[in-house]
Amino acid sequence: MRDRDTEGRPRNARPRDAFGRPLPYGSDGMPRVPDDYAPTTEQALADARRFLGEGLPFNAHEVFEGRWKCAPEAERDLWQGLAQICVGLTHLQRGNGRGAVTLLARGAAKVQSFGGAYDEVGKAASGLGQDADPAGAVALVLDALPARP
């Protein structure tokens, strides 16, 4: 059964490992991005870049998901696409190359539609294969991700 907050909204209180996999309740896990995190564009890019620099694309995904939920409608596909790319990187870390390529391609298509610097992020993500080195893949996406909007 999924955890719920006092208003009945789904929340996942289970601790997670560095690759975002759920751990048993009571385990020591990685610090999580709060469910109510609603960053500005600048904050989302800074936080996601920090997490990617630490090799934590699952946490970067949570950052982009937080921005996606509070962004203006016209930007939501961008943030969803960035989140999907980070989930794809997480799948590479977990050894799921097939799932990684699917999410990387899906996210790349969304971010490339925004052009500019985000086109480079999409190119980096869509160029990764099932057997890509996870650390190298994270570094490649981080290098392409703009530091500012």
Side-chain angles (χ1 to χ4, degrees), residues 41-108:
T41 295
E42 293 80 7
Q43 190 65 53
L45 289 170
D47 288 348
R49 289 181 59 79
R50 179 175 50 84
F51 283 128
L52 289 170
E54 294 171 4
L56 300 170
F58 182 79
N59 292 61
H61 142 266
E62 288 185 323
V63 166
F64 289 137
E65 189 174 77
R67 180 64 190 150
W68 166 35
K69 290 177 182 177
C70 69
E73 185 68 34
E75 294 179 14
R76 288 193 181 149
D77 277 351
L78 170 65
W79 302 108
Q80 184 181 39
L82 290 169
Q84 288 171 327
I85 288 170
C86 289
V87 172
L89 295 171
T90 300
H91 279 290
L92 278 177
Q93 288 180 324
R94 294 177 180 176
N96 178 7
R98 189 171 170 182
V101 169
T102 298
L103 282 159
L104 290 165
R106 191 177 299 153

